[in-house]
Structures are given as C-alpha cells and as structure tokens.
Amino acid sequence: QVQLVESGGGLLQAGGSLRLSCAASGNIFSIFTMDWYRQAPGKQRELVAAITSGDTTNYADSVKGRFTISRDNAKNTVYLQMNSVKPEDTAVYYCHYKPLIGREYWGQGTQVTVSS
C-alpha cells in the first residue's frame, strides 16, 4: 500500500515560482516512475513531468525550460519546481506513482492558480 501526500499548491501571479511536493510512503518498489499530471476544468488530464527511479526525466513541451521535476530518494519525495508560471498553468496538479510491479497510485491533487 502506498500513500501520496501533496503540498505546495496555491495562488500566484504570472511570472512567479512555486514548488509542489509529493511525499510517498508505504511499500515503494525499487523500479518506478513518478509523474506530475494536471487537469484544468473541462480539459483532459495531461502529463506535465515524469521522473524514473533511474532519474530519467520527461517534460511536456508546454513546461519545458520552466518546470523541473526532481526526487529525494531518501525522503521518497518528488518535487515540481515551477518557474515563470503562466495563467495557462492553472490546474489541479496530481502526483502519480507507477511501480514496475503492482498497482498505480494517485495523490489527491493540489490546486495551482496563476493570475495574469
């Protein structure tokens, strides 16, 4: 069983910075991918950034160069550093964990609102 606890969401102005955190606890498999997804009202959930247990990263084109995903393995925590945010970044951001073996897990989501 894995639990994901997200934090760091909030309201900020365009151009600002924010860091989201996702702390995982429980039985974490050694080979996995952790991702940040986001979903705006009326829109499909989309992948924002991903990081593997081997520290390979992947970003959506819309956030490339502005967002950085990182991981602290000792704390089982994944971060999303959001810089130069835009109103288009407004969404509920979800942490996602997918082990090689076992079921997937989702966080509860944290709201990020960017004003112009």
Side-chain angles (χ1 to χ4, degrees), residues 103-115:
R103 58 159 289 185
E104 302 175 44
Y105 292 86
W106 291 90
Q108 295 294 313
T110 184
Q111 177 71 48
V112 174
T113 301
V114 182
S115 64

Side-chain angles (χ1 to χ4, degrees), residues 15-111:
S17 297
L18 196 67
R19 189 178 76 162
L20 306 183
S21 299
C22 174
S25 62
N27 187 207
I28 308 300
F29 197 74
S30 59
I31 303 175
F32 62 87
T33 298
M34 293 193 73
D35 321 290
W36 287 98
Y37 284 76
R38 68 185 182 188
Q39 187 168 27
K43 303 291 184 66
Q44 295 186 49
R45 189 172 298 185
E46 65 174 347
L47 177 67
V48 177
I51 187 167
T52 70
S53 49
D55 288 326
T56 299
T57 58
N58 185 44
Y59 297 93
D61 288 341
S62 59
V63 307
K64 195 172 300 180
R66 299 187 297 118
F67 292 6
T68 302
I69 189 170
S70 61
R71 176 172 59 86
D72 184 338
N73 188 57
K75 298 180 179 179
N76 284 329
T77 300
V78 171
Y79 305 95
L80 185 67
Q81 179 66 46
M82 306 169 61
N83 296 328
S84 302
V85 297
K86 303 175 180 179
E88 300 81 62
D89 297 321
T90 296
V92 177
Y93 284 71
Y94 296 91
C95 182
H96 174 249
Y97 165 71
K98 184 178 182 180
L100 180 64
I101 302 297
R103 58 159 289 185
E104 302 175 44
Y105 292 86
W106 291 90
Q108 295 294 313
T110 184
Q111 177 71 48

